[in-house]
Amino acid sequence: MRGILALLDPWVQRRILLGKEVVTLFEAVQEFVVAEADGRLIGCGALHVMWEDLGEVRTLIVADEWLHRGVGGAIVDSLEERAGVLGLSRLFCLTFEVDFFTRRGFAPIGEQVVDPDVYSQLLRSPDEGVAEFLDLAHVKPNTLGNTRMLKHLQARPDESVDAGA
């Protein structure tokens, strides 16, 4: 987690990402994947489950000297694989990197992306990422300039249902 904090800090200083408390990162350790080169942490990302079919790509960071070398894409691929294992069919992200996520099949989303019953359940979550997904007014100052994006994941071949069953 200390390595992730070190990766995160420059982005927080540039006001591109919000800072995270150390305790918050430790609470989410199981959500993270990391990329290393020569024993050094060069990237990270997290998959946070928000609902039975919905996850969020969070804290996607690549060290400056490793940008545009496939590290971020590999991390997102790994997070998508995890999402499939968990049975998620949609991934959300809140990002300034619209082109990066568009190349990976994400698209900007509008207001109502879940049915009203799910919306009312999600409103009960204390998680700021859920509030960002729902585009709630109290998080708008933190999300200015970001784009809310969603990707529909393909079902894995071993999850297909026999049409004759």
Side-chain angles (χ1 to χ4, degrees):
M1 282 300 116
R2 304 283 180 202
I4 290 172
L5 275 171
L7 276 177
L8 180 61
D9 189 57
W11 298 96
V12 171
Q13 297 303 320
R14 291 182 239 169
R15 298 182 186 268
I16 294 171
L17 292 175
L18 292 175
K20 296 195 185 313
E21 297 293 336
V22 177
V23 67
T24 303
L25 290 173
F26 276 109
E27 289 173 342
V29 69
Q30 74 282 354
E31 298 179 359
F32 278 88
V33 297
V34 297
E36 294 180 321
D38 300 321
R40 184 175 153 251
L41 188 65
I42 62 167
C44 67
L47 173 66
H48 180 75
V49 176
M50 298 168 74
W51 195 249
E52 65 185 331
D53 66 335
L54 177 66
E56 179 184 6
V57 173
R58 291 185 171 179
T59 319
L60 180 62
I61 309 167
V62 175
D64 286 340
E65 63 273 19
W66 285 89
L67 290 172
H68 310 292
R69 294 174 66 181
V71 175
I75 291 170
V76 171
D77 289 347
S78 179
L79 296 175
E80 286 185 19
E81 185 177 313
R82 281 184 170 198
V85 168
L86 293 171
L88 305 180
S89 60
R90 299 180 298 162
L91 279 182
F92 164 73
C93 69
L94 179 71
T95 186
F96 289 112
E97 300 296 334
V98 174
D99 291 341
F100 173 86
F101 281 99
T102 298
R103 288 192 306 273
R104 282 153 186 79
F106 286 76
I109 56 175
E111 294 296 313
Q112 193 65 28
V113 292
V114 293
D115 69 48
D117 290 337
V118 172
Y119 184 89
S120 68
Q121 291 295 318
L122 289 174
L123 278 176
R124 298 175 183 175
S125 174
D127 187 89
E128 288 297 306
V130 172
E132 292 164 350
F133 172 73
L134 296 175
D135 202 25
L136 300 180
H138 76 273
V139 295
K140 288 194 186 284
N142 296 336
T143 64
L144 291 176
N146 280 290
T147 299
R148 296 164 59 242
M149 301 183 80
L150 193 69
K151 178 176 182 174
H152 293 272
L153 301 174
Q154 300 294 322
R156 294 181 11 208
D158 57 22
E159 294 174 357
S160 61
V161 177
D162 183 2

